[in-house]
Amino acid sequence: MHHPCQEVTLAPPSPGRWVAPAYYRVDLTQYQPLPTRLNPEDLNKHPDYLARVRQELVPNRPPRYPFSSYGPLIRVTQGQYLTRCTAHLYQVLQDALGVERTALDGPSLPATTTTTRRPTEYQEGQRKLREAYFFTRNPRLAAEAKRLHHYTCEVCGFNFEQHYGALGQDFAECHHKNPLAERPEELWAQGLTTSLDEVAVVCANCHRMLHRQRPALSVEALRAQWLATY
């Protein structure tokens, strides 16, 4: 909770080299410090939190967002004294700090809102980021799997080169049979390895359909559904 802001001319505590003649200050009330301090750089050390922040940041950074891209990582946006914490980022920070969401989200929330289930769109975005993150770090695995399956979808048999010519040459997507988005978060803090037997080569459409429900469909189950329609 806070009161309306006020303009003050006294320098704030420990401002460094301070040249501003005045600034706006908001006096907080009922402030309670968190038991654990989270440095923004710590998010880069946890692939799940990093992927969730980049899910919102990379496509179209919200205005006055506190982070910016730094290669495959993130860093604090420089030159912004006041930034905006979106609802999505708020949840990421709460999870990273181990704070119960019901403690900060206000009273009288239905019990279902405190579960870990997320909307389908969020799950799909998280899945894409996790798989992209993994295959970016393991390009030889993806390349070898696609080569062995001749860049042809293991579900429907679609081949991009056959339909798009040179534009579709050597193109396909890789899918984890044990979906990354459904693995326990603690596994992402460890060295994650995957063998060729654990990935499938699919087209973009079938990849989306595999993740259309949770838990994800198996390649065999989706292939059976596809065959049943033809």
Side-chain angles (χ1 to χ4, degrees):
M1 299 178 63
H2 61 81
H3 300 291
C5 65
Q6 57 180 311
E7 185 175 359
V8 296
T9 56
L10 296 176
S14 305
R17 183 171 176 265
W18 186 258
V19 296
Y23 65 97
Y24 292 108
R25 186 178 71 186
V26 176
D27 293 325
L28 300 178
T29 60
Q30 301 181 11
Y31 169 74
Q32 295 182 4
L34 294 168
T36 304
R37 178 176 178 177
L38 176 68
N39 293 316
E41 294 78 11
D42 293 340
L43 297 173
N44 287 322
K45 302 175 184 178
H46 196 298
D48 179 64
Y49 300 144
L50 173 63
R52 290 167 61 186
V53 173
R54 288 181 62 83
Q55 174 196 350
E56 182 173 58
L57 170 64
V58 175
N60 184 20
R61 189 176 76 185
R64 306 201 67 79
Y65 202 70
F67 299 112
S68 57
S69 295
Y70 185 59
L73 306 177
I74 59 173
R75 63 181 176 184
V76 176
T77 302
Q78 300 297 316
Q80 290 192 139
Y81 289 97
L82 184 63
T83 57
R84 176 174 173 264
C85 183
T86 63
H88 176 80
L89 179 59
Y90 184 52
Q91 290 186 359
V92 175
L93 296 178
Q94 284 181 289
D95 291 343
L97 287 164
V99 177
E100 290 290 340
R101 293 182 185 174
T102 52
L104 296 179
D105 289 346
S108 303
L109 289 177
T112 54
T113 63
T114 61
T115 66
T116 57
R117 183 177 181 181
R118 299 184 175 96
T120 301
E121 293 79 6
Y122 177 84
Q123 294 171 357
E124 175 64 14
Q126 184 186 56
R127 187 273 299 175
K128 285 183 177 180
L129 282 169
R130 286 189 174 186
E131 290 196 341
Y133 177 87
F134 178 80
F135 284 122
T136 297
R137 296 182 60 183
N138 299 271
R140 294 179 61 183
L141 171 67
E144 183 64 9
K146 294 174 185 178
R147 186 189 67 79
L148 288 175
H149 290 280
H150 308 289
Y151 304 92
T152 300
C153 179
E154 295 182 50
V155 175
C156 69
F158 186 89
N159 181 283
F160 283 91
E161 185 175 8
Q162 292 176 4
H163 286 78
Y164 297 105
L167 180 64
Q169 185 177 8
D170 297 342
F171 182 82
E173 295 189 3
C174 269
H175 163 71
H176 277 266
K177 295 179 181 179
N178 179 13
L180 299 180
E182 296 175 14
R183 299 189 187 187
E185 290 186 1
E186 56 266 21
L187 292 183
W188 283 91
Q190 305 169 6
L192 183 63
T193 59
T194 301
S195 68
L196 286 170
D197 293 335
E198 295 177 284
V199 300
V201 176
V202 293
C203 68
N205 282 348
C206 289
H207 205 177
R208 289 295 298 270
M209 291 299 100
L210 287 167
H211 291 278
R212 193 70 174 86
Q213 65 180 42
R214 288 178 70 95
L217 285 169
S218 67
V219 172
E220 294 75 18
L222 184 62
R223 185 189 300 120
Q225 289 192 26
W226 184 84
L227 290 172
T229 63
Y230 288 89

